[in-house]
Amino acid sequence: MSEKRVYTFGNGVAEGKAGMKNLLGGKGANLAEMNLIGVPVPPGFTITTDVCNEYFEKGKEKVVALLKNEVENAVHHIENLMNCKFGDVQNPLLVSVRSGARASMPGMMDTILNLGLNDEVAKGLAEKSGNERFAYDSYRRFVQMYGDVVLGMKPTNKEDIDPFEEIIQQVKAERGIKLDNEMSVDELKKLVALFKEAIKNQTGKDFPTDPMEQLWGAVCAVFDSWMNERAILYRKMEGIPAEWGTAVNVQAMVFGNMGNTSATGVCFSRDAATGENIFNGEYLVNAQGEDVVAGIRTPQQITKEGSLRWAAQQLIDEDVRASQYPSMEENMPEIFAELNAIQEKLERHYHDMQDMEFTVQDGKLWFLQTRNGKRTGTAMVKIAMDLLREGEIDEKTALLRCEPNKLDELLHPVFDKAAQKQAKVLTRGLPASPGAACGQVVFFADDAARWHEEGKQVIMVRIETSPEDLAGMSAAEGILTARGGMTSHAAVVARGMGKCCVSGAGAININYKQRTLEIDGVLLREGDYISLNGSTGEVYLGEVTTQPAKVTGDLAELMELCNKYTKLVVRTNADTPHDAQVAHNFGAVGIGLCRTEHMFFESEKIKAMREMILADTKEGREKALTKLLPFQRQDFYGILKSMDGHPVNVRLLDPPLHEFVPHDLEGQQAMAAEMGISVQEIQHRVNSLSEHNPMLGHRGCRLGNTYPEITAMQTRAILGAAIQLKKEGFDPHPEIMVPLIGVVHEFDQQEKVIRDTAKQLFEEEGVEINFHVGTMIEVPRAALVAENIAKKAEYFSFGTNDLTQMTFGYSRDDIASFLPVYLEKKILNVDPFQVLDQKGVGQLIDMGVKKGRSTRPNLVCGICGEHGGEPESVKFCHRVGLNYVSCSPFRVPIARLAAAQAAVEE
Ligand code: ADP
Ligand code: MG
Ligand code: MG
């Protein structure tokens, strides 16, 4: 059998290409592609993601045996192109071993550099390069990385520090030096010896000297890292399936640590935070690999413009900047020019913003990685619209480039301008990820997660973050770090999460032990409030007030584009004029669900409501309802007015009545006193309302059918408000919806009450209103007999919360006891109340629409419920031919984008 497991690349030739991401991982596919388009890339090979799955099925030994031939040949391939030999003492080849999954998972898995070194080879490398420092710097880095990643020296407990770091600190302390690059050659040699000793002590084994053995160890460790804790957590957060696996890339080393004509860096073809078309990035002279990201030394800017901006933010004087932190543009002008040309070429080739990694070895530039860069929601929209205007992509591509859920960030509140002006600025860091955040200071990831669970808003403050902090970062409103640049871990991850982040705020002093933070003499403790402006890098004392976001600029243009392609209309779920207005500003054209029950909870209304519930005669109920009528009419007046000219779908009273009466003695006593009856009487009624299974009990249209006078009052209120508006010159479009229909006569009889009431009201007022009567399809039976219901109902609204509940038989209120286990065990992949179950519940919707339209061809169908704002569910609604979706106000733009994408994808 000749299944191909290894793909080589080098010198402008490659067996893979960009389109093979699934097999080669993102990194491997793009390394191949860069070769094909003439970008300088060190030669190497990629072991496929399929092998990763094989590895977990068959185990280490079997897979190594299967790979042996191909890997050995591929190593020879590199040797030939590089003109040196793996393990050779005079002319050694060193390689890196790098993970690379289909979707980028920055920093989640492991990379090993400088592999192939042992005592003899290091000596040879020193002679060959004439640079002993470089050789032993590489060697000590290799032993450390190999020890950590392959030999399991990295502490699993995050309180413990890496044993190698401890040794480095000791060696530096002995001589009173601070930076790694201040160590002498002898000290580097000493590190190697001490590292090996530590490995021997802890693992009982000698450091492997055979390069081939080292290589297999590293390859297997990269596969193993696919299953490490942080990789699993990251996949969970991003919804990446474990079956995708990671590829392994083995690549000839190029060295950024060969002296002052060498460097390493990271760059972006556009600004990942704002989306502006500005080439930017960071680099370090005489450094290797992750040094830039790790925050060990202060990285320098690539462009002069960026460098000036950075210095201004950091309050660094120009002469200090120019001498100590010059940009690459100033420091290495020729290399900068080449870098700049290649970044442009790559962006034009991929038609998208690129995030690139490079190394300069003794004056020669090498690219080590390119990928479509992670970006904030703001940058996502701006970049898509800019690329469209530049003619790089077409309208449909621009629409598909934007991820609906990421719009969420643009819809969040921003700082109130006036409040921001008055706020005390504590300090300033780098504007790493935009947004406005306020919360209580916490210093540790697990505290952030726990406080968040308790309902608190927190700002996570760290010297710098590492992948272990992921869960905490995700729980925090914002992240503040003392160290690290625009490409630091905190910055990259925060932008990916769409979370506000200020990084590298050098003036803050953090004391983890005492859980305090000091800025210019101001001392803050854990739990104190601060606010962050991720767009300016400012840190404020206390809570700065925010105001709602607006749809303007690029977002407005994107929304226009949505309108051009979309077929689905987006309405909103709103119960108050305020919510209706917010949604209208976000582009909702109508209300898909107006619930009426909340309206009864304010003081006077709840009294009348309770009186109605307690009454045991129809007359008694009608008397109480008469008191409620004016309140309800006023509520509907406001809502219809705020959605003038657009349909407003009002649902008749739905929840079980026991929700309106007090269940505690105190409340019952107060109610008794107010109503002038005995507590016993009240308790008696409350008890009689109690049900074994309220979700399946006396609720929905079962209320209206047992107490038609409630339906009549609500009809009067809705249509009365409409009449008043019409008299004032407005254009109201009320719709009256009967909930929880299962049997056609449940609808018939309610409809009759509505129409009779309307007729009487119109006669009284001398004004007629054009209105519709429809129903919710939320009991499975209703979907099954939809053709009969549609003969009477003028429209359907799929109430997918109840429909999901009754189709699965899962109580919405009780699901928390088993859902986590179900998700854990993969019995369910997602919470069906959040993401519509297309296979099961979806069938009922599809059937309901088809059957309904078989008897009423122009039947208007929509969806209300949580799913109406969930992008995948919205796309499903498009495919089954619904007319509209309805969602909460802040999800309206998200639904609009998802709807447009569905139309484009079709
Ligand atoms: P990650 O996926 O975490 O970004 P990478 O595999 O990209 O890890 O490796 C991290 C860094 O190591 C790269 O950005 C690059 O600086 C350095 N590196 C990897 N391979 C090589 C190589 N062959 N030569 C020089 N540097 C390398
Ligand atoms: Mg990388
Ligand atoms: Mg319902």
Side-chain angles (χ1 to χ4, degrees):
M1 206 187 76
S2 68
E3 193 188 328
K4 191 168 171 58
R5 293 186 173 83
V6 174
Y7 288 71
T8 60
F9 55 82
N11 271 19
V13 181
E15 293 179 319
K17 57 178 185 213
M20 291 166 73
K21 286 206 174 67
N22 294 359
L23 188 64
L24 302 180
K27 199 180 288 168
N30 285 335
L31 285 169
E33 185 81 5
M34 283 196 284
N35 266 285
L36 297 177
I37 62 170
V39 173
V41 172
F45 59 89
T46 304
I47 305 173
T48 67
T49 56
D50 285 349
V51 178
C52 183
N53 286 328
E54 235 173 350
Y55 180 85
F56 289 109
E57 272 162 35
K58 298 181 181 158
K60 211 173 254 186
E61 267 96 68
K62 284 230 175 81
V63 166
V64 169
L66 282 171
L67 281 171
K68 194 162 186 297
N69 265 340
E70 272 183 275
V71 165
E72 282 175 0
N73 286 338
V75 170
H76 293 321
H77 159 86
I78 307 180
E79 290 174 337
N80 289 338
L81 294 179
M82 294 297 284
N83 223 344
C84 49
K85 239 172 118 44
F86 199 43
D88 193 276
V89 174
Q90 261 104 51
N91 188 19
L93 165 70
L94 302 189
V95 296
S96 65
V97 179
R98 321 171 61 190
S99 59
R102 201 189 289 192
S104 103
M105 298 168 62
M108 287 303 122
M109 289 177 299
D110 297 317
T111 292
I112 295 156
L113 305 181
N114 311 328
L115 187 139
L117 283 168
N118 55 37
D119 290 350
E120 289 78 46
V121 174
K123 211 161 144 225
L125 185 66
E127 274 160 31
K128 184 193 164 199
S129 63
N131 187 341
E132 223 187 352
R133 147 174 293 283
F134 147 69
Y136 286 94
D137 184 50
S138 304
Y139 194 16
R140 62 100 182 175
R141 288 169 185 269
F142 169 54
V143 177
Q144 174 171 2
M145 280 188 252
Y146 200 89
D148 273 340
V149 173
V150 184
L151 305 174
M153 295 284 286
K154 194 186 278 177
T156 40
N157 184 345
K158 71 177 160 98
E159 255 95 79
D160 303 339
I161 70 165
D162 182 306
F164 302 116
E165 288 301 329
E166 216 169 303
I167 294 170
I168 296 178
Q169 307 251 323
Q170 270 167 21
V171 168
K172 284 196 287 194
E174 275 166 29
R175 219 169 37 93
I177 51 176
K178 281 212 182 97
L179 297 177
D180 285 9
N181 57 357
E182 291 170 328
M183 285 185 283
S184 69
V185 174
D186 282 340
E187 279 160 342
L188 295 172
K189 283 183 181 169
K190 186 169 160 192
L191 283 186
V192 172
L194 291 174
F195 285 177
K196 286 185 172 176
E197 200 180 292
I199 289 172
K200 176 87 192 199
N201 285 344
Q202 193 170 320
T203 67
K205 281 189 216 128
D206 284 316
F207 189 81
T209 52
D210 173 24
M212 234 20 226
E213 186 189 339
Q214 293 174 353
L215 181 59
W216 288 119
V219 168
C220 293
V222 168
F223 284 142
D224 287 330
S225 73
W226 179 249
M227 289 297 176
N228 76 28
E229 227 173 273
R230 49 192 158 111
I232 291 173
L233 177 68
Y234 188 87
R235 287 203 293 272
K236 210 167 169 185
M237 279 168 34
E238 301 279 307
I240 298 171
E243 305 80 68
W244 282 9
T246 181
V248 181
N249 300 288
V250 178
Q251 199 176 11
M253 279 305 298
V254 289
F255 301 98
N257 56 339
M258 272 189 145
N260 287 338
T261 52
S262 301
T264 182
V266 180
C267 58
F268 300 87
S269 63
R270 293 177 193 237
D271 191 316
T274 64
E276 284 167 292
N277 189 1
I278 298 174
F279 176 47
N280 67 97
E282 293 172 337
Y283 81 114
L284 272 177
V285 174
N286 197 12
Q288 193 176 49
E290 306 278 60
D291 288 2
V292 177
V293 194
I296 299 168
R297 274 157 65 194
T298 306
Q300 292 155 239
Q301 300 297 308
I302 304 256
T303 66
K304 183 167 180 198
E305 188 192 339
S307 184
L308 292 171
R309 201 159 11 142
W310 168 84
Q313 277 157 355
Q314 300 271 307
L315 306 175
I316 290 174
D317 287 340
E318 172 56 14
D319 45 334
V320 176
R321 183 202 72 78
S323 60
Q324 288 180 32
Y325 307 104
S327 66
M328 189 179 192
E329 189 171 1
E330 295 156 287
N331 198 20
M332 302 178 163
E334 284 103 50
I335 307 254
F336 170 78
E338 195 189 346
L339 181 73
N340 196 12
I342 295 178
Q343 66 89 10
E344 266 187 43
K345 176 180 184 156
L346 285 171
E347 190 186 272
R348 273 204 306 277
H349 183 71
Y350 289 100
H351 307 290
D352 199 357
M353 187 264 271
Q354 294 300 293
D355 166 354
M356 297 152 285
E357 295 170 9
F358 64 89
T359 284
V360 180
Q361 173 176 325
D362 200 14
K364 166 139 182 56
L365 174 65
W366 296 93
F367 268 66
L368 291 164
Q369 191 171 339
T370 192
R371 60 184 166 213
N372 295 338
K374 289 199 188 296
R375 62 203 76 178
T376 62
T378 309
M380 168 187 82
V381 173
K382 173 151 179 57
I383 291 172
M385 298 313 287
D386 278 348
L387 288 173
L388 172 63
R389 284 186 284 259
E390 290 162 24
E392 283 288 316
I393 55 175
D394 61 16
E395 290 182 347
K396 291 182 177 178
T397 310
L399 278 176
L400 295 175
R401 278 285 171 82
C402 296
E403 202 183 305
N405 277 327
K406 271 199 117 149
L407 290 184
D408 195 37
E409 289 163 51
L410 284 83
L411 310 174
H412 280 315
V414 291
F415 282 128
D416 181 88
K417 285 254 156 57
Q420 194 179 338
K421 261 207 187 111
Q422 287 182 353
K424 177 176 165 55
V425 179
L426 285 172
T427 186
R428 204 183 283 256
L430 298 173
S433 182
C438 29
Q440 294 174 273
V441 170
V442 293
F443 297 97
F444 298 96
D446 31 5
D447 292 330
R450 209 184 52 248
W451 289 37
H452 175 71
E453 238 166 60
E454 290 165 7
K456 294 177 183 155
Q457 299 199 318
V458 300
I459 304 283
M460 187 156 149
V461 183
R462 300 283 304 165
I463 295 173
E464 61 208 356
T465 63
S466 70
E468 278 79 12
D469 294 323
L470 219 58
M473 296 171 76
S474 143
E477 302 302 309
I479 297 144
L480 171 64
T481 67
R483 261 196 250 154
M486 296 290 283
T487 53
S488 64
H489 178 265
V492 172
V493 172
R495 286 197 293 270
M497 289 177 173
K499 203 138 274 192
C500 169
C501 175
V502 173
S503 70
I508 65 176
N509 287 310
I510 296 172
N511 186 328
Y512 286 138
K513 271 227 178 76
Q514 294 177 352
R515 304 192 170 214
T516 57
L517 142 78
E518 185 267 332
I519 309 175
D520 268 346
V522 180
L523 186 76
L524 296 172
R525 287 169 211 291
E526 182 180 73
D528 287 348
Y529 281 91
I530 57 170
S531 303
L532 304 180
N533 186 335
S535 316
T536 62
E538 280 169 344
V539 180
Y540 312 100
L541 184 64
E543 284 176 284
V544 179
T545 25
T546 55
Q547 64 184 31
K550 290 197 183 78
V551 178
T552 54
D554 286 317
L555 179 58
E557 281 182 43
L558 177 69
M559 288 294 119
E560 278 305 306
L561 208 54
C562 289
N563 288 350
K564 183 167 169 186
Y565 288 93
T566 198
K567 294 199 181 109
L568 270 179
V569 166
V570 178
R571 295 197 198 178
T572 191
N573 298 349
D575 308 343
T576 64
H578 174 263
D579 284 358
Q581 196 54 53
V582 170
H584 193 61
N585 294 345
F586 282 148
V589 283
I591 292 181
L593 175 64
C594 173
R595 303 175 181 90
T596 52
E597 44 272 18
H598 89 95
M599 297 174 180
F600 295 114
F601 279 101
E602 286 151 46
S603 58
E604 281 309 305
K605 301 183 211 175
I606 190 77
K607 266 196 232 163
M609 185 68 186
R610 286 172 173 172
E611 195 183 318
M612 194 272 301
I613 293 171
L614 284 184
D616 30 39
T617 60
K618 184 164 185 260
E619 289 68 39
R621 274 191 299 275
E622 277 175 342
K623 197 169 138 237
L625 284 166
T626 317
K627 291 184 192 163
L628 278 170
L629 176 62
F631 293 123
Q632 278 248 288
R633 193 165 46 213
Q634 198 52 37
D635 287 331
F636 293 133
Y637 176 85
I639 290 169
L640 283 164
K641 191 167 167 180
S642 65
M643 272 291 171
D644 190 45
H646 300 297
V648 172
N649 183 20
V650 182
R651 178 178 72 183
L652 298 176
L653 192 65
D654 183 65
L657 296 182
H658 75 84
E659 288 188 11
F660 298 96
V661 293
H663 291 265
D664 58 310
L665 185 62
E666 214 176 308
Q668 292 172 346
Q669 279 166 340
M671 182 174 160
E674 229 170 63
M675 305 192 68
I677 49 175
S678 70
V679 180
Q680 285 75 17
E681 231 174 302
I682 292 193
Q683 283 171 341
H684 179 74
R685 184 65 179 140
V686 170
N687 290 342
S688 77
L689 286 174
S690 119
E691 293 174 315
H692 286 292
N693 210 336
M695 279 293 188
L696 301 177
H698 195 176
R699 57 174 287 229
C701 70
R702 299 158 205 170
L703 290 172
N705 275 309
T706 43
Y707 307 127
E709 51 280 8
I710 300 178
T711 302
M713 182 279 285
Q714 291 203 296
T715 303
R716 270 186 170 266
I718 298 163
L719 296 178
I723 288 171
Q724 190 182 339
L725 282 164
K726 196 170 173 183
K727 285 180 181 164
E728 293 169 14
F730 291 96
D731 179 26
H733 290 259
E735 301 174 339
I736 300 176
M737 177 158 75
V738 186
L740 220 70
I741 293 290
V743 177
V744 75
H745 295 307
E746 285 181 309
F747 183 80
D748 287 352
Q749 298 193 10
Q750 284 289 286
E751 192 207 5
K752 184 164 186 323
V753 176
I754 296 165
R755 300 244 181 244
D756 289 350
T757 308
K759 192 162 169 250
Q760 202 184 345
L761 181 69
F762 294 162
E763 274 164 18
E764 285 165 25
E765 298 281 336
V767 178
E768 282 209 14
I769 294 287
N770 189 8
F771 71 103
H772 298 291
V773 186
T775 183
M776 252 171 130
I777 305 292
E778 52 187 336
V779 173
R781 191 178 190 280
L784 298 171
V785 299
E787 71 275 30
N788 291 330
I789 295 174
K791 282 182 198 157
K792 298 282 181 175
E794 292 177 289
Y795 63 90
F796 284 177
S797 172
F798 290 90
T800 49
N801 294 349
D802 266 309
L803 193 59
T804 299
Q805 169 166 267
M806 287 186 241
T807 303
F808 277 91
Y810 296 159
S811 158
R812 265 192 276 171
D813 296 340
D814 303 310
I815 192 169
S817 57
F818 60 88
L819 182 68
V821 182
Y822 268 36
L823 294 174
E824 186 68 31
K825 292 191 169 176
K826 302 227 156 121
I827 293 173
L828 291 176
N829 286 326
V830 288
D831 176 353
F833 290 101
Q834 272 173 23
V835 180
L836 183 72
D837 163 47
Q838 300 183 12
K839 282 203 181 118
V841 178
Q843 253 189 76
L844 288 169
I845 298 176
D846 192 22
M847 175 194 293
V849 173
K850 289 201 175 99
K851 284 183 167 231
R853 289 189 181 146
S854 72
T855 51
R856 185 186 290 267
N858 59 355
L859 180 76
V860 172
C861 295
I863 183 177
C864 55
E866 296 310 302
H867 305 106
E870 193 285 311
E872 287 312 309
S873 311
V874 171
K875 291 181 180 182
F876 174 83
C877 292
H878 170 92
R879 293 196 295 271
V880 297
L882 295 194
N883 301 83
Y884 69 86
V885 297
S886 187
C887 60
S888 65
F890 281 96
R891 298 203 68 86
V892 166
I894 296 169
R896 289 171 73 189
L897 178 56
Q901 289 184 341
V904 168
E905 280 162 5
E906 198 172 46

